[in-house]
Amino acid sequence: MVGIPEDFIEGSGNPALDAARLLRQRLEVNRGFGWDMPVGSAPRASVPTQSTVSGEMEDREAVLESIRAEVADCTLCGLCEGRTQTVFGVGNRSARILFVGEGPGRDEDLAGEPFVGRAGKLLDKIIQAMGLKREEVYIANIVKCRPPENRNPAAEEMAACFPYLERQVKAIQPEVICALGGVAAKGLLSTDLSVGRLRGEFHEYAGIPVRVTYHPAYLLRSPGEKKKTWEDIKALMAHIGLQLPA
């Protein structure tokens, strides 16, 4: 298919839209975008004014920067002792899609930005294949500091750090979350099920649809699973009405 990098995966077709658009009828999201309607009713024709939208964006930016400052000084778990710097998150503060990984690696710890190493380059290709830019989505992790030797974060480390992600989600108000790998799925869904068991369907976190797929680092080791990830990505896009590039 045109627009999908050859070194990622080929895909074809575009799944039909489904009832997930009802997500926008949730009261919290509606208020965030300036809509005035009860839960479960159809959207009214009113459109947020430019000043309202601008104010919402400024509010989100202020909230995210406040959380970022807290993260930078955080000492709630032992991961703070070995970090070069915290890795808060990056992207569009009003992104429709939020990608969540497990935690920073060496490259991310040095750069202060998530997914900038080899796995990050693959994630960039996935985003490009979706017809989007990295700046149009939001990317964050379950934990904000690098675990030693890139091990999986421990349960107590995840528990200490997760409230930061929780607040990021509330500020950004994404329409859908893509959980990249088992650690992200465990943190968001409170489950020990494998990615293989969780992928292929939608789950929910705080009223937001969650699609679980393989972490880009795993895809680098197991390129044969790229097709499954692309299927998940296509389903995620269809869920919120995004079409693949022609």
Side-chain angles (χ1 to χ4, degrees):
M1 175 175 290
V2 176
I4 301 176
E6 293 181 358
D7 54 352
F8 173 51
I9 188 67
E10 292 186 357
S12 62
N14 184 17
L17 300 181
D18 59 25
R21 286 186 174 179
L22 293 178
L23 175 63
R24 278 195 177 267
Q25 294 174 3
R26 293 182 180 276
L27 183 59
E28 180 178 357
V29 177
N30 295 336
R31 287 174 176 171
F33 282 90
W35 294 340
D36 179 20
M37 65 181 189
V39 175
S41 65
R44 296 178 182 175
S46 60
V47 178
T49 64
Q50 184 174 357
S51 60
T52 299
V53 173
S54 177
E56 291 288 347
M57 296 304 100
E58 290 177 1
D59 289 345
R60 292 184 185 186
E61 182 67 21
V63 170
L64 288 171
E65 286 306 310
S66 176
I67 305 169
R68 184 192 298 272
E70 290 183 44
V71 168
D73 293 331
C74 181
T75 58
L76 291 177
C77 77
L79 293 182
C80 67
E81 298 174 3
R83 73 189 181 208
T84 302
Q85 58 187 317
T86 56
V87 180
F88 179 69
V90 67
N92 190 328
R93 59 187 180 273
S94 59
R96 301 179 68 187
I97 302 172
L98 170 63
F99 288 95
V100 177
E102 56 185 58
R106 178 180 180 276
D107 293 329
E108 291 75 16
D109 176 68
L110 294 173
E113 183 174 329
F115 284 93
V116 295
R118 291 182 63 228
K121 300 302 181 186
L122 181 54
L123 179 59
D124 287 347
K125 291 176 181 177
I126 294 172
I127 295 170
Q128 291 168 7
M130 297 168 69
L132 300 173
K133 299 178 181 178
R134 184 178 171 99
E135 296 79 15
E136 294 179 276
V137 302
Y138 201 93
I139 306 172
N141 283 313
I142 293 291
V143 297
K144 313 302 187 188
C145 298
R146 179 194 180 192
E149 305 301 322
N150 291 346
R151 64 164 171 77
N152 288 343
E156 60 270 20
E157 295 163 349
M158 293 172 62
C161 205
F162 191 80
Y164 294 129
L165 178 63
E166 183 178 35
R167 291 162 62 192
Q168 282 177 291
V169 173
K170 289 181 179 179
I172 298 166
Q173 299 179 359
E175 294 178 40
V176 67
I177 297 173
C178 183
L180 300 169
V183 172
K186 181 177 182 178
L188 289 165
L189 305 177
S190 299
T191 180
D192 288 322
L193 292 177
S194 68
V195 174
R197 292 281 301 276
L198 292 169
R199 63 162 301 275
E201 60 182 296
F202 282 93
H203 307 274
E204 184 177 294
Y205 167 74
I208 302 171
V210 176
R211 191 78 176 196
V212 178
T213 196
Y214 295 110
H215 193 285
Y218 173 77
L219 297 179
L220 291 174
R221 301 190 302 269
S222 305
E225 303 286 28
K226 288 180 178 180
K227 182 177 180 180
K228 294 179 181 178
T229 292
W230 187 237
E231 291 171 354
D232 292 326
I233 293 298
K234 289 193 297 182
L236 179 152
M237 293 177 66
H239 215 64
I240 61 172
L242 285 179
Q243 295 188 356
L244 289 168

